[in-house]
Amino acid sequence: QNMLDQDDHNHARLRTLVHKAFTPARIEQLRSHIRTLAEGLITAMERKPQIELVADFALPLPLTVISELLGIPAKDRGLFQRLSQQTLLPPTAVNMLRVVPAMWRLIRFIRQLLAERKQRPTDDLLSALTQAEEAGDRLSEDEQVAMVILLLIAGHETTVNLISSGMLALLQHPDQLAWLRAHPEGIKSAVEELLRYCNPVETATERYASVATTIGGQEIRQGELVWAVIASANRDETHFPNPDVLDLKREPNRHLAFGQGGHFCLGAPLARLEAQIGLGLLIERLPDLRLAVPKDKLIWRNTPVVRGLKELPLARS
C-alpha cells in the first residue's frame, strides 16, 4: 500500500498527503544540521589512519537525518538499519527466512511508534503522517506503516550508495577529482553526474503490463512482470555523448536516477543535499584519501533494485 505500487487516484492521494509532511522547505531547513552532522563524522575520521567510508560516513549521515526527520529514537536506529537491509535481500528461498521475520518486526515496531505519536504528537514526520489530511481524507494505519517503511528505506539506502559509490568513482578518476577540488562550486553538477554514472538505484520497482505491447522487438503480454533498468537508461548512447565516461561538467544531464513523471522520487531534494554536503566536505577536509585495497577486492551488496558497496576501505596518504 505504498506509493511505489499505486497509480492514478490512489497514487496521487498518497503522494499529496505525504508531500504536505515532506516539503522542500522542510528539507532546506536541514541544510545547516546536515553539514554539522557531516563535519562531526569527518572530524572523527581525521583521527584514523584508515577509514571504512560506508560505516564511518556514508551510512550514518543519511540514516541519522531520515531517522531524525521521521522521529525514530536514537536507540532504535541501528535496529532499523539492520532490518531495512534484511528486507532488501534477494528473494531466494533461504533469504526469505530472514526477510519475512525482519519485515514483520519492522511493521510491529512502526505501528507502536505511530500509536505513540497519535497520542502524543511531536514535531516530526511520524506525527505529521498521523495528522496529514487532504479534503477530509487521512492515511489509514496500514498506509502510514507502508509510508514510513518506504521513507525509511528509500531515505537512507540510496544515499548511502550514492556517497560511497560516488567517492569510489572520484578516486578512480583523479582528473575529475582534481577538477572538483579546484572548482568546489561544481558540486551540484558533479552529484548529478555521479547519480547518472554510479546508479545507486539500478532498476525501477516492479511493473506489470496493463495491456499487451511490444518494446524494442520484445513482446510483453498483459499482466507480465517488467523491470525497467535505470542503469541502462543512464548509459544510453543515443541520449548521452560518451555515456561510459565520467564527466562532472556534463550538460545537459537529464538522467533517470530519480525516475520520471508522476513517480519522480519524493526524496530527491534530500538525497541531493546530503550528497552535495557529504562529498563536498570529504573532498575539502580529507584530500589525501585513497583506496586501501585493490579495486577487485571490493565487495558489492547482493541486493535487487539498489546497487552499493558493502564496504569502502580507504587509507590516508
Side-chain angles (χ1 to χ4, degrees), residues 83-139:
L83 292 177
S84 70
Q85 286 203 337
Q86 289 174 8
T87 64
L88 290 173
L89 290 170
T92 64
V94 173
N95 283 344
M96 293 310 289
L97 296 175
R98 298 171 61 190
V99 171
V100 174
M103 182 59 75
W104 278 112
R105 190 176 179 189
L106 193 58
I107 289 171
R108 284 197 304 269
F109 192 75
I110 291 172
R111 287 191 191 280
Q112 181 183 352
L113 287 175
L114 287 167
E116 292 173 359
R117 291 303 192 281
K118 191 173 182 180
Q119 294 297 321
R120 294 180 296 277
T122 58
D123 185 23
D124 57 40
L125 192 50
L126 283 172
S127 300
L129 287 172
T130 66
Q131 300 165 1
E133 187 170 357
E134 174 69 16
D137 190 11
R138 288 178 176 267
L139 293 169

Side-chain angles (χ1 to χ4, degrees), residues 34-46 48 51-65 156 159-164 167 273-283 285-286 289 312 314:
I34 292 172
R35 185 176 182 89
T36 298
L37 289 173
E39 287 178 335
L41 292 168
I42 291 175
T43 296
M45 289 191 292
E46 285 177 327
K48 299 180 178 181
I51 295 164
E52 201 288 277
L53 193 72
V54 175
D56 291 343
F57 188 81
L59 173 61
L61 179 61
L63 180 61
T64 300
V65 172
H156 84 276
T159 310
V160 172
N161 299 336
L162 173 56
I163 292 174
S164 54
M167 195 67 211
L273 185 60
E274 290 171 335
Q276 290 165 12
I277 292 173
L279 288 169
L281 284 172
L282 282 172
I283 292 166
R285 292 189 47 187
L286 298 172
L289 288 178
L312 181 57
L314 301 177

Side-chain angles (χ1 to χ4, degrees), residues 12 50 70 125 128 136 217 240:
Q50 287 206 333
L70 283 164
L125 192 50
F240 299 101

